[in-house]
């Protein structure tokens, strides 16, 4: 086995891509401490901050997504940037000389893996969603191994390349030992009440916020705790709207929940968008959930993600266009139904892939040694 394999990891754009990428890198380091790891991301995207914060070097490419509709003249500039990025990746490959390239999806993955494949470097794709993204589908023929989180992915990828691994999640969730009592104390909430956690991502989710505001009086009167992450994008709007409402003593409002381990530990029920990363966390922690898929994502992949759980009785789903009228009512009814919560928890836990990062790391190192 190589003592110092060189691993190139590319992708990002959202936490759903970045968290798995960093988890894979950490798992590679755990198996092979001498491994040299370099990330490639898109300039101006969140990976350019999050990856260095995790302790890894990253290079940025001048790459961005295609504009809809695809025949828009502005896509000429997008394609020019793409070919510039391919040129930069070729120079990077000659400097770093990776033994394997790993793509997790996002704008930087396509030029990086295309250049790596052309240079004879084995490539591994990690697809987080149950409905594969355009970038990963286009790269499938060039990949040696494709790691997926859901069954039935042979409809998108060559069956012989597939490995069902699940999605890697943040390491702190594996290590969490906080009790529910201690978690509730951190938020200043009463232990005698059941607790609902509402999360819409770091930027927030307008539909979830509007659902809370529409049912504000019901929430105030309920014997239920709420932890509500509004998101940074909507914080001012929410603050202005709440200024005209009676305050509620049973709800903690956060722009961003910095301690997700505590939030999950406190929650009896989680209301969330249906991003692949969020779903993997909910399954890992066996949390009962109500999923509200975002309609503003490619190929409606969040609905496919949610249905993968709903069809196995591991989660409930409320569609985005119905959420304002029904979401909080469904949540309040579910959180006091102990039998239903228990069934959702058990089924979600059965779907968890607890060693996803380590399994993928093993495949990455195997490819690196195969090249050597």
């Amino acid at each position: 086995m190589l003592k110092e394999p060189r691993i190139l990891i590319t992708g990002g754009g959202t936490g759903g891509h970045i968290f798995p990428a960093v988890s894979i890198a950490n798992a590679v380091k755990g198996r092979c401490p001498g491994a040299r790891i370099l990330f490639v991301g898109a300039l101006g995207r969140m990976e350019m901050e999050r990856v260095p914060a995790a302790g890894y070097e990253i290079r940025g490419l001048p790459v961005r997504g295609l504009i809809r509709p695809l025949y828009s003249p502005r896509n000429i500039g997008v394609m020019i940037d793409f070919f510039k990025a391919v040129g930069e990746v070729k120079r990077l490959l000659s400097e770093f000389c990776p033994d394997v390239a790993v793509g997790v999806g996002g704008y930087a993955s396509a030029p990086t893996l295309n250049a790596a494949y052309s240079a004879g470097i084995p490539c591994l794709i990690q697809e987080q969603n149950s409905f594969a993204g355009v970038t990963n589908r286009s790269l499938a023929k060039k990949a040696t191994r494709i790691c997926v989180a859901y069954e039935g992915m042979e409809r998108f990828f060559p069956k012989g390349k597939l490995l069902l691994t699940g999605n890697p999640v943040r390491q702190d969730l594996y290590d969490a030992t906080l009790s529910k009592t201690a978690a509730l104390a951190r938020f200043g909430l009463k232990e005698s009440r059941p607790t609902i956690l509402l999360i819409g991502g770091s930027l927030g989710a307008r539909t979830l916020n509007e659902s809370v505001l529409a049912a504000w009086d019901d929430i105030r009167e309920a014997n239920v705790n709420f932890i509500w992450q509004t998101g940074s994008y909507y914080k001012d709007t929410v603050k202005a709207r709440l200024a005209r409402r009676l305050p509620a003593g049973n709800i903690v409002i956060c722009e961003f929940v910095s301690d997700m381990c505590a939030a999950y530990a406190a929650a009896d029920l989680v209301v969330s968008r249906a991003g692949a990363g969020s779903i993997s966390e909910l399954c890992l922690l066996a949390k009962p959930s109500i999923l509200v898929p975002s309609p503003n994502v490619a190929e409606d992949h969040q609905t496919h993600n949610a249905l993968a759980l709903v069809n196995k009785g591991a989660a409930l789903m409320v569609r985005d266009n119905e959420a304002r009228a029904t979401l909080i009512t469904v949540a309040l009814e579910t959180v006091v139904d102990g039998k239903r919560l228990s069934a959702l928890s058990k089924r979600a836990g059965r779907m968890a892939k607890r060693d996803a990062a380590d399994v993928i790391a093993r495949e990455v190192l195997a490819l690196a040694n195969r090249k050597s």
Side-chain angles (χ1 to χ4, degrees):
M1 178 179 283
L2 290 172
K3 292 183 178 180
E4 296 186 352
R6 294 169 178 255
I7 316 295
L8 193 70
I9 302 179
T10 180
T14 67
H17 293 311
I18 297 167
F19 289 136
V22 171
S23 293
I24 293 168
N26 291 341
V28 167
K29 279 287 193 181
R31 281 183 163 267
C32 182
R36 293 189 59 187
I37 298 174
L38 176 65
F39 281 76
V40 177
L43 289 171
R45 305 292 289 184
M46 63 190 298
E47 60 263 27
M48 301 307 295
E49 295 182 2
R50 296 287 180 88
V51 169
Y56 295 100
E57 181 184 356
I58 187 169
R59 304 281 186 90
L61 300 178
V63 65
R64 50 203 168 107
L66 289 168
I67 297 164
R68 307 284 177 164
L70 295 178
Y71 55 77
S72 170
R74 290 185 292 169
N75 279 327
I76 295 173
V78 174
M79 294 310 298
I80 290 172
D81 285 345
F82 177 86
F83 289 114
K84 285 181 181 177
V86 171
E88 291 192 21
V89 174
K90 287 180 179 178
R91 289 191 290 273
L92 175 61
L93 295 178
S94 66
E95 295 172 12
F96 185 64
C97 301
D99 296 297
V100 62
V102 180
V104 297
Y107 299 149
S109 284
T112 304
L113 292 192
N114 272 295
Y117 174 79
S118 297
I121 298 165
C123 299
L124 179 145
I125 292 173
Q126 198 264 323
E127 171 59 58
Q128 295 98 31
N129 294 295
S130 63
F131 194 96
V134 173
T135 298
N136 280 348
R137 294 205 306 267
S138 70
L139 293 167
K141 291 182 180 179
K142 300 175 181 180
T144 305
R145 176 65 83 187
I146 303 172
C147 297
V148 297
Y150 295 92
E151 298 172 351
M153 297 301 285
E154 58 272 8
R155 61 190 182 190
F156 303 111
F157 303 120
K159 187 174 182 179
K161 296 183 178 183
L162 291 177
L163 181 64
L164 181 62
T165 61
N167 282 323
V169 301
R170 291 174 282 193
Q171 186 61 42
D172 57 351
L173 295 181
Y174 290 103
D175 301 334
T177 57
L178 191 68
S179 69
K180 182 177 180 181
T181 299
L184 288 167
R186 288 192 184 182
F187 289 98
L189 293 170
K190 291 183 178 180
E191 191 175 356
S192 59
R193 295 171 173 163
T195 301
I196 297 173
L197 169 65
L198 298 108
I199 46 176
S202 58
L203 296 179
R206 177 184 295 174
T207 297
L208 298 190
N209 291 342
E210 291 288 344
S211 299
V212 172
L213 292 167
W216 187 253
D217 290 338
D218 292 335
I219 289 172
R220 286 180 60 252
E221 295 170 5
N223 189 31
V224 174
N225 296 321
F226 283 80
I227 302 170
W228 174 24
Q229 178 179 277
T230 64
S232 58
Y233 189 81
Y234 298 103
K235 64 175 182 176
D236 293 333
T237 301
V238 169
K239 185 177 180 180
R241 297 273 295 277
L242 288 178
R244 302 190 294 270
R245 309 288 180 93
L246 291 172
N250 60 331
I251 183 166
V252 174
I253 304 172
C254 313
E255 171 191 336
F256 179 73
V257 178
S258 57
D259 190 349
M260 279 304 300
C261 289
Y264 279 134
D268 297 286
L269 175 68
V270 181
V271 179
S272 172
R273 285 301 199 191
S278 297
I279 285 179
S280 295
E281 293 177 357
L282 293 169
C283 290
L284 177 73
L285 300 173
K287 283 293 174 182
S289 64
I290 302 174
L291 302 173
V292 187
S294 170
N296 306 311
V297 294
E299 290 96 15
D300 194 26
H301 67 254
Q302 287 203 4
T303 297
H304 294 277
N305 291 347
L307 287 173
L309 270 68
V310 172
N311 291 339
K312 293 190 175 182
L316 305 179
M317 183 174 78
V318 173
R319 295 195 178 272
D320 188 88
N321 61 359
E322 301 170 352
R324 291 170 181 81
T326 65
L327 177 60
I328 299 303
T329 299
V330 173
L332 289 172
E333 290 173 352
T334 304
V335 78
V336 295
D337 186 341
K339 186 175 181 181
R340 193 173 202 184
L341 291 178
S342 178
L344 290 169
S345 174
K346 288 178 182 176
R347 291 167 186 158
R350 290 188 196 124
M351 295 186 69
K353 302 290 185 184
R354 301 181 183 279
D355 57 351
D358 192 58
V359 172
I360 296 170
R362 185 180 63 211
E363 292 297 315
V364 170
L365 291 170
L367 288 177
N369 281 285
R370 185 186 303 180
K371 178 176 182 291
S372 69

